[in-house]
Amino acid sequence: MIDTRRLRTLQAVADHGTVTAAAAALHLTPSAVSQQLAALEHEVGHRLFIRDGRGVHLTAVGKIMLGHADEVLAQLERARAEVADYTTGAAGEVTVACFATAISAVLAPAVTALRASAPGLQVRVRDAEGDQSLTMLLDSEADVAIAVEYRGAPDDRRLSRVPLYAEPFDLVLPETHPLADQDTRPMERPDLEGHPLAALAEETWIGPYPGNPVHDVIAFACEQAGFTPRFAHCSDDFRAVVALVAAGAGVALVPRLALRDMARPGIAVRHVPGPERRVFAAVRRGADSHPLLRPLLATLQDLSASFGE
């Protein structure tokens, strides 16, 4: 009989590419992970990995087993959800991995709302920028991830997604910039060669690090305007980005909710049509019916609906 813990080890090694990284995610020693893999290969009767230097790669049989591991572990999540539902699931703890803006916009208000509607539910929050929240979810370090869609993101069938909101970006300029003295209506000028960002092709840009989904949204918006932005300064903290703009270090596209409660001395904010980030909540497939997760996901959706008004 195949031990399901070894299937989880198989998933972790496939996700992280090395035994050492998988061991860190599983809170095990590399030796323990190697032993789990060896035992699983013995149970299956075939090699599952090819070791290449420090990394490992799945064999054809390994890929077959990984697909079945995904199904088996998803079914276990459903079983846990049904058992919890049977025993009412009225109290318990849920860990949510989420990026900073969404913590302020929807997660913190959800925590407040749940105190009244689900007093037995305790929410633990973990700040996770970029797509780190999804890694934490798959590594079972979180029960819910709140993340941003981005180009090329894998459609991981181990996850169930719940759409939350789509957030537009605003252009942030130094107050001395030639475009800063105009009003705050959407930038639509005939000298911008058909796209409101085209006039900024030669500007110095400030934004998140590559790998952060927001970086990809900004790059794609600029590509649609016919240029590749030249990022001279990088920070995943939008307050730092805005501070650099105010210092005259460059221009930036910033999600509107990140600007909502931010002081704005030294900058001008312009609305631009087009770029937006789509935010979703994710849980491990099979867990979306868990009685502790249902009220949290429903509350997040209710709060997010107001952003479209």
Side-chain angles (χ1 to χ4, degrees):
M1 181 177 292
I2 295 175
D3 191 326
T4 55
R5 292 173 299 178
R6 292 168 188 160
L7 295 180
R8 179 69 193 92
T9 302
L10 173 68
Q11 276 188 338
V13 175
D15 281 341
H16 296 281
T18 70
V19 169
T20 301
L26 295 170
H27 305 290
L28 298 172
T29 65
S31 175
V33 169
S34 294
Q35 291 173 10
Q36 292 269 23
L37 294 178
L40 182 59
E41 288 182 326
H42 178 73
E43 289 172 338
V44 175
H46 293 275
R47 290 187 64 185
L48 303 178
F49 292 94
I50 298 173
R51 288 157 179 82
D52 180 13
R54 295 182 178 180
V56 292
H57 303 283
L58 287 171
T59 64
V61 174
K63 292 177 182 178
I64 292 171
M65 285 302 303
L66 180 62
H68 286 290
D70 293 343
E71 293 297 327
V72 168
L73 295 174
Q75 186 61 40
L76 285 176
E77 290 286 355
R78 283 189 285 271
R80 293 189 187 99
E82 289 185 18
V83 170
D85 206 15
Y86 179 76
T87 57
T88 75
E93 185 176 87
V94 173
T95 299
V96 183
C98 180
F99 59 96
T101 303
I103 291 175
S104 300
V106 291
L107 185 52
V111 170
T112 300
L114 287 166
R115 287 199 187 101
S117 62
L121 174 58
Q122 301 297 316
V123 179
R124 297 177 61 202
V125 179
R126 295 290 180 265
D127 191 335
E129 294 301 320
D131 58 357
Q132 293 175 346
S133 60
L134 297 177
T135 299
M136 293 175 67
L137 179 61
L138 290 171
D139 287 341
S140 297
E141 295 178 12
D143 304 298
V144 179
I146 298 179
V148 177
E149 293 181 4
Y150 61 98
R151 283 186 302 169
D155 183 16
D156 198 317
R157 63 178 187 169
R158 292 173 292 175
L159 301 178
S160 294
R161 297 187 178 202
V162 177
L164 295 181
Y165 60 89
E167 177 183 10
F169 281 64
D170 288 328
L171 178 64
V172 183
L173 303 165
E175 62 182 1
T176 56
H177 194 280
L179 296 176
D181 60 355
Q182 300 177 34
D183 59 35
T184 57
R185 289 177 298 177
M187 291 177 61
E188 294 178 355
R189 291 174 27 149
D191 60 326
L192 298 189
E193 299 179 0
H195 194 288
L197 296 179
L200 303 170
E202 300 303 319
E203 296 282 351
T204 297
W205 283 79
I206 307 164
Y209 283 99
N212 187 319
V214 172
H215 180 99
D216 189 76
V217 172
I218 296 169
F220 183 60
C222 293
E223 287 171 16
Q224 290 183 313
F227 69 95
T228 299
R230 180 170 57 89
F231 286 99
H233 312 285
C234 291
S235 174
D236 290 332
D237 184 337
F238 289 115
R239 292 187 181 275
V241 170
V242 170
L244 287 169
V245 174
V251 301
L253 282 169
V254 177
R256 187 167 296 170
L257 289 175
L259 289 168
R260 183 173 59 176
D261 300 319
M262 198 181 298
R264 304 185 183 185
I267 65 168
V269 178
R270 303 293 308 284
H271 299 333
V272 290
E276 64 179 14
R277 65 173 172 180
R278 296 185 176 275
V279 179
F280 65 92
V283 297
R284 290 182 293 276
R285 187 160 57 93
D288 42 353
S289 61
H290 194 289
L292 287 177
L293 298 184
R294 284 200 304 265
L296 173 59
L297 295 174
T299 301
L300 289 171
Q301 284 187 298
D302 289 344
L303 290 168
S304 297
S306 65
F307 295 154
E309 298 175 357

